[in-house]
Amino acid sequence: LQKHGINTRTDKIVTIALESSTPNRNWPYSYTMILTEKLTKEGYKVIWLSQSKDYGHTYFYKCACGQEFNITTETTPERLTWTCLACKKENTINELKEPQDVANLAGKTDLRTAMAIIALSDVFIGPNSGLMVIATALEIPAIGLFGAFNPQIRTKYYDRFAYIWGHIACSPCKEHWTECPKGHPAPCMKVITPDMVYKKTKEMIKKWPRKEL
């Protein structure tokens, strides 16, 4: 963490899990980018965790019409051209830009290291996943993002925990699909906005301040 400019004694640390075991439970990557930018502008140190190495090489872009898309690549081509599926406009990207001011540890930690990082965090944010359960077991203030499952059933015994549920007409479906048949990201996860998570993050940090090491 020191290599990423993070002082575990003095910095406010927010750790975000980027994925669950099934894609239908994942929060939109673009939302994670927006939330990260909001937090880092206020001086928070943000850490990304995931098992998949893809998120270590994923870039987010938006067409002028508002259509969003991600690029995952281990190479860095000088120029990319793509046609927006929504407005059919041709877009050109001259440079792939890494996320700024974030310790992107996607695919770079084993489970034991991820647990140690979560234990040093002021708050954990993530979808319904194993890392979320680990955060609650370590008594780290945690925010669970739910769509397919009812969080009131799965998390009723957790302390220092808050959930945000994208409770739409088809939720809870209780399904572990590889992909939601209604699209990806799943509609129930897309209704959980970055502003909602940002507000809850501030509340949790205020309610459960981290003890000094």
Side-chain angles (χ1 to χ4, degrees):
L1 297 183
Q2 290 178 350
K3 292 179 181 179
H4 291 275
I6 298 175
N7 187 321
T8 58
R9 293 184 179 274
T10 60
D11 288 328
K12 295 291 186 182
I13 301 172
V14 178
T15 296
I16 303 177
L18 302 180
E19 62 179 347
S20 182
S21 58
T22 53
N24 68 306
R25 287 183 282 163
N26 289 351
W27 202 42
Y29 180 72
S30 60
Y31 287 10
T32 300
M33 294 278 287
I34 294 168
L35 175 63
T36 297
E37 184 176 0
K38 289 174 72 71
L39 292 170
T40 55
K41 281 184 176 179
E42 292 194 9
Y44 292 93
K45 300 297 185 179
V46 178
I47 302 170
W48 288 358
L49 293 177
S50 78
Q51 182 177 8
S52 172
K53 295 181 180 180
D54 285 348
Y55 288 102
H57 310 281
T58 297
Y59 309 84
F60 164 72
Y61 291 93
K62 181 185 291 186
C63 178
C65 73
Q67 180 74 13
E68 301 176 353
F69 75 104
N70 302 329
I71 295 174
T72 299
T73 174
E74 293 188 16
T75 63
T76 54
E78 295 182 358
R79 186 174 181 272
L80 289 174
T81 300
W82 64 285
T83 301
C84 177
L85 296 176
C87 69
K88 309 303 180 184
K89 176 186 175 182
E90 186 174 276
N91 293 264
T92 300
I93 301 169
N94 293 316
E95 181 183 5
L96 292 175
K97 295 181 180 180
E98 294 278 358
Q100 298 297 308
D101 300 320
V102 57
N104 187 353
L105 302 182
K108 298 178 182 178
T109 64
D110 55 23
L111 182 58
R112 194 179 185 88
T113 305
M115 292 172 68
I117 290 171
I118 292 171
L120 293 169
S121 303
D122 289 84
V123 67
F124 169 89
I125 302 167
N128 178 20
S129 63
L131 291 185
M132 181 196 76
V133 176
I134 287 170
T136 62
L138 295 173
E139 297 186 348
I140 299 302
I143 302 169
L145 309 179
F146 283 77
F149 294 88
N150 182 345
Q152 296 171 338
I153 296 175
R154 290 199 158 198
T155 64
K156 61 183 178 180
Y157 299 113
Y158 292 168
D159 295 324
R160 300 192 180 196
F161 178 81
Y163 63 80
I164 302 176
W165 186 12
H167 192 192
I168 60 177
C170 57
S171 174
C173 62
K174 303 178 183 178
E175 293 291 345
H176 288 272
W177 287 306
T178 301
E179 296 279 1
C180 173
K182 296 190 177 182
H184 179 76
C188 56
M189 299 303 291
K190 290 179 71 174
V191 299
I192 302 173
T193 67
D195 282 341
M196 293 165 63
V197 182
Y198 170 80
K199 180 179 179 180
K200 185 61 67 175
T201 301
K202 301 281 282 189
E203 291 175 0
M204 295 293 282
I205 289 176
K206 183 178 181 179
K207 183 177 181 180
W208 303 103
R210 179 159 57 107
K211 296 180 181 179
E212 294 185 6
L213 296 175

